[in-house]
Structure formats: structure tokens, C-alpha cells
Amino acid sequence: MTMNTMFARALLLGTISLSTAAGMAFPAAAQSVVNVYTNREPGLYSATLDEFTKATGIKVNAIFSEQGLSERIKAEGENSPADVLITVDIGRIQEAVDLGITQPVKSEALNSAIPSQLRDPEGRWFALSMRARSIYASKERVKDKAMTYEDLADPKWKGKICTRSFQHQYNIALTAAMIVKHGEAATEEWLKGVKANLAKKPSGGDRDVAKDILAGVCDIGLGNTYYVGLMTNGTNPEQKKWAEAINVILPTFKGGATHVNVSGIAMMKNAPNRENALKLMEYMATPAAQHVFADVNYEYPVRAGIEINPLVKSFGPLKAEEMSLAEVAKNRAKASALVDKVGFDR
């Protein structure tokens, strides 16, 4: 990412200082400040952070980067100004824990708002929003309205499946969840079956799956639910056509429910503004903040009782798999090894 791009995106967060955008350090500590590192697009959080500041008087300094934030915090060490990290995917969250840059948090407000399977047992991270790993299906060529993840290995789909790389974090998490659900041997056979059904070599992203379905390259594929909202209501007319060509199926595991991944928040080990950081973490689980995640980015809130976006609601009710995401995170390395073992992306 160029410095100009980083600066432009940073400006979306009104509260960010020019010195931060230029890559300089935040003030080490201040009573009315909290410093946020995030790889989530600033536009998603700007309104929420502004409301937090209005409610508490605490100014939010934030820096955005798509990659490398955990490594940066690790390198900054005891002098790191980072109070909290907001990131996507259980893998990236666990990476921060594994690097030793987080600290445990005890909060009744967070524990009561966020289900136990969506937070670290030791309080080192908490989910803020969920996204379902769904199946995109051609409106013209697929009559199925319900499927399981296991069905993707059914020979009836031979030559009809598209997907991004299975080494991508979204598919690694799904594969790790399959290991938790069925074990390594069964997951390896499942991967072989899905690979045998591919219409083309894995490539692109989730939006490209919808694009390929419209073009007739394949009939079904894996994609996160929120991309459909972004394509449908975005400014790109071509992507709107891709979204219009598919139905969204919320698959389940056999004997289970739908796999979800999360965005999450963690307090940094050397947070200079710990009390303010905790206030921000707890604010992110309030109904007001949870509504923003649901409505602006087409995600599912982690807090019960929050209305979801009408488009997301049209996909049908989500019954999220209740397996611990901490267990999913523990099996990511095994999942990656199995993907390579079966040569899925080759």
C-alpha cells in the first residue's frame, strides 16, 4: 500500500492525526485517548468511533493497514502505543495471541454480550461481528435451496464448483472447523472430493465466484455473505449483475449448523491507555455499535436481539455453529497442511 493510499483512508476516521497517517508514533499515553490499530476499512468504524468519543470524551487515534499490524506491534515492543487491535478472521486474531502481544481482559459487560464460543476462554480476544461461509448458487441452473458443506464433495457437482484458494484464511478456517467436526481423516477425504469437483483452478476472491457463476464457468461456489451486500449496493454495476445471478445458501455441517468467522478485538499487552481501551472494547458490544456492524457491512451481530440488514435477512435465518472458535484456531495449521497434502490449489 502506498503512503498516499494509507493517508487517504486514514482521513476517513476524522479523529486521526496527520502524524499518525505519516507513520509516526501516537502520543505514548493520555487520559482522554485510546489508540486503535485495525486492518478493517476505516469507513466501517468511523461513525461508531465518533459516537464513542461523544459518549465518553475519549479521543480515538486510529491507524489502518491491510497487513502486518500484529508484527508491527510486536516490533514496537514495550514502546508500542497500540491499545487495541481490531482485525478480521479467527486466524489473524489467534496470530496476535501467538505473538504474545495481547493481554487477558476480565469484563462482565463483554462476557454477557458475547457468547462463549465467540470469545477466548482466557479473555485475550472477543468477537465483534460474524460472517457466514455460504454457498453462492446459480439462480438459473441450481434448484437446491439447502445444502451441507459435506455436499460439496458429492460427485454430482463434478466440474461445477468455483472457489478462491483454499489456503486463504476464510477457507482455512472452514477446513479447520471441518477437522473439529469430523477429524483429520474425514476432512482429507472431503478436500479430495471438493477438489475433484472444481470447474477451474482456485483463484480470485469471493466476488469472482459470483462473477464466474454468471459467466457459466461454474454453478456453485463458496463465498462470505457480506460480499453479496457489498456487490448489490456498491457503485460497481458489473458486480451488481454478479450478485443478481446468485442465490445465497446458508449451508450447515451434517448434524450441525453454519460455519461462521468473525472480526474481533483484543487489548494489547503494553496498552498505555488500558482503562480507555476497556471502555472502547465494551462499547463495541453495545446495541448501538452492534447495529452498525449489522447494517453497514452486512454482517451478523454477536449480541443477541440486534436487527440485521434486510438483504442479509433475505438469505434466511442463520443458525451459527456453536463450536468454539478457539478450537477452530488451534486446528488452522493442520488444515493448511491437509490443503497442501491433497494439492487442492494446484
Side-chain angles (χ1 to χ4, degrees), residues 192-207:
K192 290 177 181 177
V194 179
K195 175 179 169 58
N197 289 339
L198 294 178
K200 55 179 287 193
K201 182 179 178 180
S203 63
D206 287 3
R207 298 183 210 218

Side-chain angles (χ1 to χ4, degrees), residues 19-344:
S19 61
T20 299
M24 297 172 65
F26 292 127
Q31 188 173 1
S32 59
V33 169
V34 62
N35 300 323
V36 176
Y37 282 30
T38 180
N39 66 2
R40 301 221 68 185
E41 289 288 347
L44 174 59
Y45 288 116
S46 58
T48 303
L49 298 180
D50 286 346
E51 290 302 313
F52 170 74
T53 297
K54 290 178 184 178
T56 64
I58 299 171
K59 179 184 176 182
V60 181
N61 292 318
I63 188 167
F64 166 81
S65 179
E66 291 181 349
Q67 302 290 337
L69 285 177
S70 291
E71 291 82 358
R72 173 174 173 166
I73 295 168
K74 178 71 172 180
E76 290 170 344
E78 293 182 0
N79 296 319
S80 177
D83 291 309
V84 299
L85 173 68
I86 298 175
T87 189
V88 293
D89 184 74
I90 186 58
R92 287 187 177 181
I93 298 169
Q94 187 61 43
E95 177 187 39
V97 173
D98 293 342
L99 284 173
I101 63 173
T102 64
Q103 63 171 293
V105 168
K106 293 183 179 180
S107 167
E108 181 56 36
L110 289 170
N111 289 344
S112 61
I114 302 171
S116 60
Q117 70 269 21
L118 300 177
R119 49 185 164 86
D120 180 64
E122 297 181 33
R124 294 169 298 185
W125 58 262
F126 299 83
L128 297 178
S129 61
M130 299 183 292
R131 62 277 302 276
R133 197 67 179 145
S134 66
I135 291 175
Y136 298 168
S138 169
K139 287 181 178 178
E140 290 186 355
R141 301 183 300 277
V142 177
K143 304 303 180 185
D144 303 64
K145 300 299 181 184
M147 291 180 63
T148 67
Y149 295 109
E150 292 84 353
D151 287 338
L152 293 171
D154 190 321
K156 83 170 189 175
W157 297 112
K158 187 173 181 62
K160 296 181 179 181
I161 295 179
C162 290
T163 181
R164 73 194 309 161
S165 167
F166 248 62
Q167 285 293 1
H168 187 274
Q169 57 195 13
Y170 300 157
N171 287 332
I172 286 295
L174 173 60
T175 304
M178 187 71 73
I179 291 174
V180 175
K181 197 73 178 176
H182 298 305
E184 288 184 63
T187 300
E188 181 178 345
E189 292 307 306
W190 175 74
L191 285 169
K192 290 177 181 177
V194 179
K195 175 179 169 58
N197 289 339
L198 294 178
K200 55 179 287 193
K201 182 179 178 180
S203 63
D206 287 3
R207 298 183 210 218
D208 294 296
V209 171
K211 178 183 178 181
D212 285 339
I213 289 174
L214 174 61
V217 176
C218 50
D219 289 351
I220 63 172
L222 286 164
N224 281 350
T225 42
Y226 67 91
Y227 282 114
V228 181
L230 297 175
M231 290 188 289
T232 300
N233 296 317
T235 59
N236 188 318
E238 288 301 309
Q239 291 190 9
K240 186 172 183 178
K241 293 178 182 177
W242 304 346
E244 290 172 346
I246 63 172
N247 286 318
V248 175
I249 298 173
L250 295 176
T252 63
F253 291 107
K254 287 184 178 177
T258 301
H259 167 66
V260 296
N261 209 322
V262 295
S263 69
I265 191 167
M267 186 181 294
M268 296 299 91
K269 180 180 180 180
N270 298 301
N273 305 289
R274 190 183 186 284
E275 290 186 9
N276 293 346
L278 180 58
K279 289 178 181 178
L280 177 61
M281 293 176 72
E282 292 179 340
Y283 182 82
M284 289 299 210
T286 63
Q290 287 288 295
H291 178 75
V292 173
F293 298 134
D295 204 43
V296 175
N297 206 42
Y298 309 100
E299 294 181 295
Y300 294 93
V302 295
R303 187 184 186 111
I306 306 299
E307 188 70 18
I308 61 175
N309 185 279
L311 176 62
V312 178
K313 195 172 185 177
S314 73
F315 303 155
L318 172 70
K319 182 182 178 183
E321 182 63 50
E322 293 186 357
M323 71 174 63
S324 167
L325 283 182
E327 286 300 310
V328 173
K330 289 178 183 178
N331 283 278
R332 291 182 76 258
K334 292 179 181 178
S336 179
L338 285 181
V339 170
D340 277 347
K341 182 178 180 181
V342 304
F344 195 98

